[in-house]
Amino acid sequence: MDIGSLTVEILSEGHFELFRDGHINRTPRTAHATSTPKDPGNSNSVMAGINPVLVQSDEHNILLDTGLGWGLDAGSHNIDVSNVCTNLQIFGLQPEDITHVILTHLHYDHAAGSSFTDADAKTQPTFPNATYYVHQKEWDFALDQINRDQLSYSERYRLDEFYRLVSNNQITFLSGDITEIINGITVVRTGGHTPGHQIVIIESDGEKAYYMGDLLPTEYQLNEYVMEKADIYPLEAKKKKVQLLKQACNEKALLLFYHSGNGQAGHLFRDNDKKYVLAKQLPL
Ligand SMILES: [Zn+2]
């Protein structure tokens, strides 16, 4: 897909069942197709795709979230799995070619592919030449988990790998609410899902796309809010979602869904009942 002069590719690690206690099963595509992801906030597990996004300009290769990264570690038992690196190969890219990594937040399913363990059991950045972007509020909140006793699923972070990236000076912590990373790629802090959750707006030659992270994980949540249990600040998340969807609809923007089961993306419209619907292509 093109957004002006930028190319946008939806990558896919496959389909997973994500459990509230943190464990994850890989599921075949058919299992997902028959499930109804109606109420991810209340069930014990949720079926989800994992779809990081690659944005390419003439000079830059930008990754939006890095997925689970299964199979990246040296000696990993996960063979024959898709991860962000096997996905990049399809586009003729090596991990070294990635210039920017923007993490919507630091939950495991969005950020674990940021690093791997090498043959000497050392943590290494998966993308050695990239600058990683994380919101300062996200980092502070994640670090603060040691001060809280009863952690909900959304308050749990696995940070060990990130200390290495921080000590390598590879992470830029963003502090403002809106930051342009490079021309046409803007990060907007939304909070809601987590305190430092941020989305990415891609804009080029009058065309726009919104990558909403966990503020809008799948197309099923366009007209419903079912994330009460998953969002740390549900009211804030709901408000931001409404506001951004309105904005994206007015702009006839393309929406990209990280947890969609089939890599769904589409331009946003309202039907006669004022419900949001996706059109795969802009009508002429
Ligand atoms: Zn999350």
Side-chain angles (χ1 to χ4, degrees):
M1 282 173 286
D2 289 337
I3 296 293
S5 63
L6 302 169
T7 306
V8 175
E9 305 285 359
I10 300 175
L11 311 181
S12 173
E13 290 197 322
H15 300 90
F16 300 84
E17 188 168 13
L18 311 176
F19 290 85
R20 295 212 150 265
D21 65 3
H23 89 271
I24 297 170
N25 283 346
R26 200 147 70 105
T27 62
R29 183 181 285 267
T30 46
H32 187 273
T34 54
S35 75
T36 41
K38 259 246 150 269
D39 200 355
N42 285 317
S43 62
N44 228 350
S45 70
V46 51
M47 303 293 243
I50 302 272
N51 313 312
V53 171
L54 170 68
V55 184
Q56 294 185 281
S57 70
D58 288 343
E59 302 147 74
H60 304 293
N61 296 307
I62 303 127
L63 261 185
L64 314 183
D65 286 335
T66 58
L68 296 166
W70 284 8
L72 292 177
D73 293 344
S76 166
H77 297 303
N78 290 306
I79 42 172
D80 277 345
V81 294
S82 296
N83 56 46
V84 74
C85 293
T86 62
N87 273 256
L88 291 175
Q89 281 168 14
I90 299 168
F91 301 99
L93 294 176
Q94 300 300 318
E96 292 76 15
D97 298 325
I98 298 299
T99 54
H100 303 71
V101 174
I102 301 172
L103 296 169
T104 55
H105 60 304
L106 292 178
H107 281 160
Y108 181 81
D109 57 321
H110 289 254
S114 298
S115 61
F116 69 99
T117 307
D118 70 12
D120 298 324
K122 276 195 158 169
T123 302
Q124 300 291 354
T126 310
F127 309 101
N129 300 320
T131 303
Y132 291 63
Y133 295 86
V134 174
H135 203 279
Q136 183 70 49
K137 282 186 195 285
E138 183 70 8
W139 182 243
D140 293 346
F141 181 74
L143 283 184
D144 194 48
Q145 68 180 335
I146 46 168
N147 298 321
R148 297 187 295 267
D149 327 322
Q150 290 213 320
L151 296 176
S152 73
Y153 171 70
S154 299
E155 291 172 321
R156 253 177 255 149
Y157 291 86
R158 305 183 204 178
L159 288 184
D160 293 356
E161 295 81 9
F162 273 91
Y163 296 125
R164 162 66 57 162
L165 298 182
V166 173
S167 69
N168 279 7
N169 272 333
Q170 238 179 311
I171 299 191
T172 293
F173 291 107
L174 303 174
S175 52
D177 280 348
I178 301 176
T179 309
E180 189 170 53
I181 303 294
I182 57 165
N183 201 3
I185 308 278
T186 303
V187 173
V188 177
R189 187 185 81 85
T190 63
H193 181 63
T194 59
H197 183 278
Q198 47 193 9
I199 65 151
V200 183
I201 300 176
I202 304 157
E203 184 172 18
S204 172
D205 298 336
E207 293 187 77
K208 264 187 161 182
Y210 283 66
Y211 173 70
M212 301 276 269
D214 273 355
L215 196 68
L216 186 60
T218 74
E219 61 275 23
Y220 299 105
Q221 281 122 10
L222 275 174
N223 297 294
E224 288 179 80
Y225 178 72
V226 291
M227 298 279 285
E228 292 91 346
K229 296 245 169 74
D231 289 337
I232 293 175
Y233 300 112
L235 265 184
E236 189 182 5
K238 212 170 160 179
K239 216 166 102 186
K240 271 285 171 194
K241 187 184 119 176
V242 167
Q243 181 205 325
L244 284 163
L245 275 181
K246 204 169 157 195
Q247 188 178 316
C249 190
N250 287 339
E251 296 165 348
K252 294 192 169 44
L254 182 81
L255 292 190
L256 303 160
F257 300 97
Y258 185 76
H259 284 306
S260 177
N262 49 10
Q264 177 76 270
H267 288 273
L268 188 63
F269 290 91
R270 277 187 142 160
D271 66 11
N272 293 338
D273 299 328
K274 296 255 178 280
K275 292 254 185 222
Y276 286 117
V277 286
L278 289 181
K280 289 256 167 148
Q281 307 237 293
L282 265 181
L284 294 172

